[in-house]
């Protein structure tokens, strides 16, 4: 059944601020600060206890057998620690790290130098591994299985394939879209770890530790307030901490108290549940334009004028986790909690909406 629009997209969205994330666009200085806050050893990693414990066992076994670690895949929304784990693991193993990105690999020849450069027991981190084209993916299957590559030299009648043996090493893949990974690739990772959003206690601890690294005074209540509003995401916790620090320096003597923290977060448009202007714009669109749904992700993205990937990877996971929305075969649905949070009237419950 075609759903009627309540108001035109432009009218309904006119009064909303342009979405802006505190983590957007880091310059070099920012990047350096970011690196300073990244844990460098497994013992500095906060939260994700089960993942850490499994990694410790795998690392210990590899060390005892003097073998390279099995291949590991990390998946989960941005900012939850995939790159952090990929950096920490080679440090724990006392080995070197190469970093590649799936989106930069267009053909097997692009990944070949990384494979031949890999020293024994080293780590090759492939970020956004779901973006590897099929030809590259198939090329690395024999690498992942028995450290062998088949390279074709020449073409036409002169083409011949040579078989190269590589030194054994570890591939660590990271993806925000594990569903886009093919079965054969996924199955070639011995460990597959899904990173969950962090709870408030862990985020508070991350903020306390990083405040001390940044040499800024912060009381427990303020650390908890920032933690609660960090969307379950350490990267955002770090960025909000730095913003609150700037605010405290500009408006007061530099140390952070609850009043300053709240005022600073308010100024960034982060509400008590941690939703920012992007999240609220999503909920407003789903509720005001699509009457609470069901609405397809393409239609929502088009109306908000953002990429489908941004909604799928960055916005929806947290709204799903907060139970503000559900995904149904017919599209996205707003739950009662979303109507309540946005102060909007809901005329149908979620089950009735599913029938549309
Ligand atoms: P991803 O690769 O999943 O996008 P990152 O590993 O880049 O995320 O994490 C972003 C930042 O968050 C890191 O620089 C680090 O400072 C912080 N961080 C991530 N995970 C943790 C953790 N478990 N403990 C402490 N800090 C963390």
């Amino acid at each position: 059944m075609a759903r009627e629009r309540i108001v035109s997209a432009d009218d309904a969205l006119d009064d909303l601020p342009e979405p802006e994330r505190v983590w957007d666009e880091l310059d070099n200085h920012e990047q350096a600060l970011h690196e300073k806050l990244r844990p460098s050893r497994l013992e500095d990693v906060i939260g994700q206890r089960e993942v850490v414990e499994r990694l410790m066992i795998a690392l210990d076994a590899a060390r005892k057998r003097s073998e390279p670690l099995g291949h590991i895949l990390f998946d989960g929304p941005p900012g939850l620690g995939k790159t952090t784990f990929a950096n920490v693991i080679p440090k724990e193993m006392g080995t070197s790290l190469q970093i590649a990105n799936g989106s930069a690999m267009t053909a097997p020849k692009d990944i070949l130098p990384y494979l031949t450069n890999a020293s024994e027991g080293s780590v090759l981190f492939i970020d956004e591994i779901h973006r590897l084209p099929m030809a590259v993916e198939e090329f690395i299957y024999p690498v992942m299985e028995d450290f062998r590559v088949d390279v074709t030299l020449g073409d036409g009648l002169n083409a011949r394939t040579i078989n190269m043996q590589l030194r054994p090493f570890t591939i660590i893949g990271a993806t925000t879209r594990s569903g886009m990974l093919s079965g054969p690739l996924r199955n070639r990772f011995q460990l597959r770890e899904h990173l969950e959003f962090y709870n408030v206690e862990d985020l508070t601890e991350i903020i306390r530790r990083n405040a001390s690294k940044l040499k800024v005074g912060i009381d427990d209540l303020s650390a908890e307030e920032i933690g609660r509003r960090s969307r379950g995401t350490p990267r955002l916790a770090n960025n909000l901490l730095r913003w609150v620090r700037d605010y405290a320096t500009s408006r007061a003597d530099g140390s952070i108290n609850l009043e300053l923290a709240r005022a600073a977060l308010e100024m960034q448009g982060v509400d008590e549940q941690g939703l920012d202007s992007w999240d609220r714009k999503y909920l407003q669109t789903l509720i005001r334009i699509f009457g609470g749904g069901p609405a397809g992700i393409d239609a929502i993205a088009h109306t908000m004028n953002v990429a489908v990937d941004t909604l799928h990877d960055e916005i929806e996971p947290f709204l799903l986790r907060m139970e503000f929305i559900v995904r149904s075969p017919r599209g996205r649905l707003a739950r009662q909690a979303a109507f309540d949070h946005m102060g909007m009237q809901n005329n149908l419950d979620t089950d009735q909406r599913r029938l549309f």
Side-chain angles (χ1 to χ4, degrees):
M1 182 175 113
R3 303 268 294 133
E4 227 176 62
R5 287 192 158 200
I6 297 170
V7 278
S8 85
D10 287 341
D11 286 348
L13 298 174
D14 260 349
D15 52 339
L16 290 171
E18 265 307 292
E20 197 174 88
R21 277 252 152 89
V22 199
W23 65 55
D24 285 345
E25 302 297 322
L26 302 182
D27 60 23
N28 286 344
H29 171 68
E30 292 278 293
Q31 195 59 44
L33 256 176
H34 212 64
E35 290 308 320
K36 183 173 166 187
L37 301 184
R38 197 191 287 288
S40 53
R41 301 307 295 248
L42 217 42
E43 64 187 27
D44 301 327
V45 169
I46 295 162
Q48 309 286 355
R49 283 341 289 168
E50 291 176 8
V51 177
V52 170
E53 273 170 33
R54 283 191 290 267
L55 287 175
M56 279 179 166
I57 289 173
L59 284 163
D60 190 39
R63 269 192 227 105
K64 284 184 176 148
R65 286 199 299 261
S66 303
E67 277 177 6
L69 193 64
H71 308 302
I72 308 173
L73 179 68
F74 290 105
D75 86 84
L80 295 195
K82 299 182 291 298
T83 310
T84 300
F85 278 114
N87 276 271
V88 161
I89 289 167
K91 286 199 183 117
E92 292 288 335
M93 297 285 284
T95 183
S96 62
L97 168 72
Q98 300 187 83
I99 301 175
N101 193 300
S103 61
M105 305 285 150
T106 56
K109 68 172 172 37
D110 297 325
I111 203 164
L112 189 59
Y114 292 95
L115 308 178
T116 52
N117 281 342
S119 55
E120 181 155 353
S122 67
V123 172
L124 168 59
F125 173 47
I126 309 179
D127 201 3
E128 298 197 84
I129 195 161
H130 60 277
R131 296 201 191 278
L132 282 183
M134 195 35 96
V136 180
E137 194 182 308
E138 284 173 354
F139 184 70
I140 63 171
Y141 290 164
V143 177
M144 294 180 80
E145 261 162 25
D146 34 45
F147 305 102
R148 182 173 55 75
V149 273
D150 303 319
V151 186
T152 309
L153 297 175
D155 43 33
L157 286 177
N158 295 324
R160 64 199 164 92
T161 303
I162 57 162
N163 204 257
M164 269 167 68
Q165 193 60 43
L166 303 167
R167 290 172 285 260
F169 66 99
T170 304
I171 292 184
I172 298 183
T175 178
T176 48
R177 289 283 186 101
S178 65
M180 273 172 70
L181 232 58
S182 72
L185 181 57
R186 202 196 335 263
N187 292 338
R188 281 173 171 79
F189 287 98
Q190 277 91 55
L191 271 184
R192 295 185 285 267
E193 297 293 353
H194 174 70
L195 300 188
E196 286 291 342
F197 285 107
Y198 291 62
N199 60 32
V200 177
E201 293 73 56
D202 290 339
L203 291 165
T204 305
E205 180 58 23
I206 290 175
I207 288 162
R208 265 200 225 102
R209 282 206 202 174
N210 289 344
S212 125
K213 281 191 194 169
L214 293 171
K215 300 191 174 44
V216 53
I218 188 167
D219 59 34
D220 287 350
L221 284 178
S222 312
E224 198 183 316
E225 182 75 8
I226 302 173
R228 193 175 16 252
R229 299 203 197 186
S230 296
R231 282 182 112 253
T233 309
R235 178 180 297 152
L236 197 50
N238 288 344
N239 291 347
L240 289 179
L241 170 64
R242 281 168 32 215
W243 162 250
V244 177
R245 179 183 72 147
D246 286 353
Y247 187 92
T249 305
S250 165
R251 295 279 167 97
D253 66 357
S255 51
I256 299 171
N257 60 41
L258 191 55
E259 198 185 333
L260 281 168
R262 285 199 176 136
L265 295 170
E266 212 100 303
M267 204 168 167
Q268 280 288 355
V270 178
D271 69 27
E272 323 77 58
Q273 303 250 32
L275 272 59
D276 65 12
S277 51
W278 277 95
D279 302 314
R280 287 196 299 276
K281 186 167 180 172
Y282 179 100
L283 293 180
Q284 292 236 19
T285 305
L286 184 56
I287 294 174
R288 285 168 66 176
I289 311 296
F290 297 101
I297 189 169
D298 291 316
I300 302 171
H302 195 75
T303 312
M304 288 175 70
N305 203 15
V306 294
V308 172
D309 281 0
T310 306
L311 293 192
H312 193 283
D313 297 350
E314 294 185 24
I315 298 184
E316 289 191 337
F318 185 66
L319 297 177
L320 283 161
R321 192 242 177 161
M322 296 291 284
E323 301 188 349
F324 281 138
I325 59 168
V326 282
R327 282 186 186 141
S328 83
R330 288 162 190 265
R332 277 53 175 170
L333 297 161
R335 301 189 68 168
Q336 185 59 43
F339 285 87
D340 295 345
H341 188 71
M342 300 304 289
M344 289 167 157
Q345 179 81 22
N346 183 12
N347 298 322
L348 296 171
D349 69 26
T350 310
D351 286 334
Q352 287 171 308
R353 290 178 191 288
R354 280 186 218 269
L355 299 175
F356 283 136

